[in-house]
Amino acid sequence: MLEIRNLKASVEGKEILKGINLKVNAGEIHAIMGPNGSGKSTLASVLAGKQDYTVTDGEILFEGKNLLDMKIEERAHEGIFLAFQYPVEIPGVSTVNFLKTAVNETRKAKGLAPIEAKDFLATMREKMKLVEMDSKLTSRALNEGFSGGEKKRNEVFQMAMLEPKLAILDETDSGLDIDALRIVAHGVNTLRNKNNAFIVITHYQRLLDYIVPDFVHVLSDGKIVKSGTKDLAFELEEKGYDWVKEETINS
Amino acid sequence: MEDSDKILDELTTTEYKYGFVSDIEQDILAKGLNEDVVRFISAKKNEPEWLLEWRLKAYRHWLTMVEPTWENVHYPKIDYQSYHYYASPKVKPQLASMDEVDPEIRKTFDKLGISLVEQMRLAGVAVDAVLDSVSVVTTFKDKLRELGIIFCSMSEAVKEHPELVKKYMGSVVPSTDNYFAALNTAVFSDGSFVYVPKGVRCPMELSTYFRINAANTGQFERTLIVADEGSYVSYLEGCTAPMRDENQLHAAVVELVAHDNSEIKYSTVQNWYPGDKDGKGGIFNFVTKRGICSGVNSKISWTQVETGSAITWKYPSVILKGDNSIGEFYSVAVTNNMQQADTGTKMIHIGKNTKSRIVSKGISAGSSQNSYRGLVRINKKATNAQNFSQCDSLLMTDHCGAHTFPYIEVNNTSAKVEHEATTSKIGEDILFYCNQRGIGNEEAVNLIVNGYCKEVFNQLPMEFAVEAQKLLAISLEGSVG
Ligand SMILES: Nc1ncnc2c1ncn2[C@@H]1O[C@H](COP(=O)(O)OP(=O)(O)OP(=O)(O)O)[C@@H](O)[C@H]1O
Ligand SMILES: [Mg+2]
């Protein structure tokens, strides 16, 4: 589904991603861990198409198509979704209205007519239940005055509504209480099927108890320095990142 | 559907938007302004002596006044001698079919979803053949007449209802009120007159669309609306279609009078030519709009959507004289490219328990400048007066400007005055977020702007609100990304 080859990206002349290689197949869940500032969010942003970052080398293929040629919204229409580490607030636009526009713009890109109001509402209701989202929140302006945890939950709710092929969750677990974490994980696990894939960025092994990854990668200083299975996360939790760093230097 | 079928279909299913007018005489007076010009205009309209005297008094006073400079707009000095003061109504070239209309204009019409009939009227295509507009207008007028509502041009009102005109015209905006109002008084061309008798609720939105010869009332329009005791009227001014006019200078006056227990709702969509991207051309729009809640429990509500004009200078105001009266001002002002707007309101609380509400939404794009200027004055005797003001600015670029000048004068300690203001920017991060959800820049801007303006749009009659939304989208097209 996704293939990243030797991806290098920089911002304001400073190289952040220094040659990333990653292959994600449909049906898989990949976890990316790594120290602060190692480039995890940058990788997510480059996948989504944020303009601040200049791709200096490498390529990204998504279902065989060159992702780097596509505009941000085109990538979204292709089925890429990013749950933001820091979701923005949009004053005056309710989550409902926002999502309806998002759904309809994607449908438009596929040559489909706008969704029927009653179908949309039915889907809304179903997905709100899935992530136990309060209807008071969805009728309020998007993320405006939401608590940190509510914002994160709203990201997962949007993901559920848009049913992406590839969802990238950037530290969606941070700021969530234990119950919310379970709910979010339940959402992801319910949405998971053999045709979609997830990249889960996290600092905590805890999340991976709920969302069990097929692979765990460690990103350090702009490179994937180690890949493994779920056990790698345990090892990291125990030994810290220095352990991987040392290992890379020694190898 | 065939075009002709479509027209018939629209005719039978939509309530208004008719009224094609072709009866136009052609008079153009040489450039310049002096007493003779004022006399000429008055004579042309067969006006009574008192009206001529009133015009002359205004003109003489105007000569002693200086153009205001306090507003936050900049434009080259206006040479008042370089205009024609009697050049209307103008004949637009009659086109044989829509095919002859400028494709750019057609595109805008289509985007606005303006009906074909209306497109023809606006573009100056002869529609008499397919459209018996007269009968539609007549039906409409009959209905109003039955209720005793007067809705006609100002010139007609001067002839048919001189006592009403004499009583009310200038009673809210005196001839000497300000520079542009004085100029308007001296040379006003025409406008609308509305009188709603006691206890009558006007059953339909009164729109200039209905009024014969409304399209070209010219640059010095004068409107007067009087709601007698216990009556209600909603009036729509303007239209969302792009209005091009060779007259650069516009100075209109609108007066509203609300008697006991009456209500006037006045809605405007202003879309005069804003000039090109570099600020060349465009209308200078200097408007004086004021209403008086003269009676108890009366209410005046101004709603405006301002997207056009190179320069806008406009402060629809309410004098809250009657006890328990209510004044409202809802405004969306959009400036793009090189446009400049200085707009807002004045709420003058005189009566007891008077309430006012101000909701102003400024949107600046391009290199434009957008200022809100508002005055809330609570007079000494206005016990328990209340005002709430919300003034928001939305910026689309880094090089546009948004300014707020709220003036608050409170002379009674029982008053409750609240003022809230916000400034936000449609930043890169918000656009990135929208894009990531599959919403492109144009659509994202629409979504945000419509959300931002919702409170004002909610005040507009349904059909107008939909058009206003589209109009905003067009005005802001290409303003980000
Ligand atoms: N727009 C930018 N301008 C300048 N530097 C940037 C920008 N974006 C990212 N960086 C820098 O790139 C590096 C990687 O940042 P990134 O946000 O990708 O880290 P991260 O791995 O997600 O960290 P965290 O775990 O703290 O979220 C950091 O040093 C950061 O300061
Ligand atoms: Mg990060």
Side-chain angles (χ1 to χ4, degrees), chain B residues 155-447:
Chain B
S155 316
E156 206 179 321
V158 168
K159 288 194 187 75
E160 308 291 328
H161 311 281
E163 67 305 331
L164 286 173
V165 176
K166 202 169 171 182
K167 181 171 172 192
Y168 291 109
M169 194 161 67
S171 71
V172 192
V173 179
S175 61
T176 53
D177 188 79
N178 68 68
Y179 191 78
F180 299 110
L183 177 64
N184 173 287
T185 307
V187 299
F188 74 89
S189 34
D190 209 336
S192 302
F193 176 77
V194 176
Y195 173 79
V196 189
K198 278 183 192 165
V200 172
R201 240 191 112 80
C202 186
M204 55 194 102
E205 313 280 347
L206 293 185
S207 154
T208 39
Y209 281 128
F210 273 123
R211 232 200 43 236
I212 295 204
N213 277 332
N216 282 312
T217 37
Q219 59 211 111
F220 300 106
E221 215 171 328
R222 185 142 195 134
T223 297
L224 172 60
I225 299 174
V226 180
D228 217 327
E229 288 170 27
S231 69
Y232 168 85
V233 63
S234 167
Y235 185 88
L236 307 181
E237 177 203 37
C239 99
T240 49
M243 298 293 272
R244 284 179 189 263
D245 189 319
E246 298 308 311
N247 299 315
Q248 203 191 15
L249 177 65
H250 279 237
V253 169
V254 176
E255 296 175 281
L256 312 181
V257 181
H259 287 290
D260 289 357
N261 305 304
S262 70
E263 179 177 350
I264 302 176
K265 255 179 96 81
Y266 192 105
S267 313
T268 309
V269 169
Q270 186 265 115
N271 189 19
W272 294 105
Y273 182 53
D276 67 12
K277 275 205 151 48
D278 305 316
K280 253 184 71 189
I283 305 290
F284 292 178
N285 199 22
F286 302 106
V287 190
T288 306
K289 289 186 166 171
R290 195 177 302 152
I292 182 163
C293 285
S294 66
V296 296
N297 307 317
S298 55
K299 179 173 175 185
I300 288 179
S301 181
W302 297 101
T303 305
Q304 60 173 25
V305 176
E306 303 276 322
T307 60
S309 297
I311 310 252
T312 301
W313 180 99
K314 182 179 174 187
Y315 316 92
S317 305
V318 184
I319 300 167
L320 296 149
K321 185 160 165 267
D323 291 348
N324 313 318
S325 59
I326 299 173
E328 292 177 336
F329 174 73
Y330 294 94
S331 168
V332 168
V334 180
T335 52
N336 199 353
N337 298 318
M338 303 298 285
Q339 281 177 280
Q340 306 174 64
D342 194 298
T343 184
T345 183
K346 288 184 205 166
M347 293 291 174
I348 313 294
H349 293 254
I350 298 171
K352 295 186 182 65
N353 308 315
T354 46
K355 282 190 196 142
S356 62
R357 182 177 178 83
I358 298 171
V359 177
S360 161
K361 305 276 178 177
I363 302 171
S364 336
S367 305
S368 68
Q369 295 295 325
N370 203 325
S371 302
Y372 167 81
R373 187 184 303 278
L375 168 69
V376 175
R377 180 187 290 150
I378 314 283
N379 280 12
K380 236 198 222 119
K381 292 192 175 138
T383 37
N384 295 321
Q386 284 181 38
N387 162 265
F388 173 77
S389 304
Q390 173 82 48
C391 302
D392 298 328
S393 309
L394 185 66
L395 303 168
M396 313 279 288
T397 61
D398 289 323
H399 42 282
C400 58
H403 318 272
T404 315
F405 305 98
Y407 305 92
I408 299 172
E409 297 171 15
V410 178
N411 300 306
N412 184 308
T413 48
S414 65
K416 238 177 84 185
V417 177
E418 281 177 81
H419 180 93
E420 285 178 13
T422 66
T423 301
S424 36
K425 188 172 180 288
I426 301 190
E428 291 287 324
D429 50 341
I430 288 185
L431 287 175
F432 176 53
Y433 191 91
C434 292
N435 293 164
Q436 207 301 304
R437 298 298 188 252
I439 305 169
N441 281 347
E442 299 284 347
E443 205 49 49
V445 167
N446 284 349
L447 187 68

Side-chain angles (χ1 to χ4, degrees), chain A residues 48 50 72-73 76-77 80-82 84 88-90 92-93 98 101-102 105 142-143 155 158, chain B residues 424 428-441 443 447-452 454:
Chain A
K50 193 168 185 172
I72 308 165
E73 60 268 29
H77 299 155
I80 289 187
F81 180 92
L82 171 60
F84 286 76
V88 299
E89 302 188 358
I90 308 184
V93 181
F98 180 78
T101 310
E105 287 300 298
L142 190 99
N143 290 336
E155 293 292 290
Q158 292 183 41
Chain B
S424 36
E428 291 287 324
D429 50 341
I430 288 185
L431 287 175
F432 176 53
Y433 191 91
C434 292
N435 293 164
Q436 207 301 304
R437 298 298 188 252
I439 305 169
N441 281 347
E443 205 49 49
L447 187 68
I448 295 164
V449 162
N450 283 327
Y452 174 78
K454 198 163 52 197

Side-chain angles (χ1 to χ4, degrees), chain A residues 40-41 85 170-171:
Chain A
K40 301 181 299 294
S41 293
Q85 183 174 5
D170 191 356
E171 293 196 27

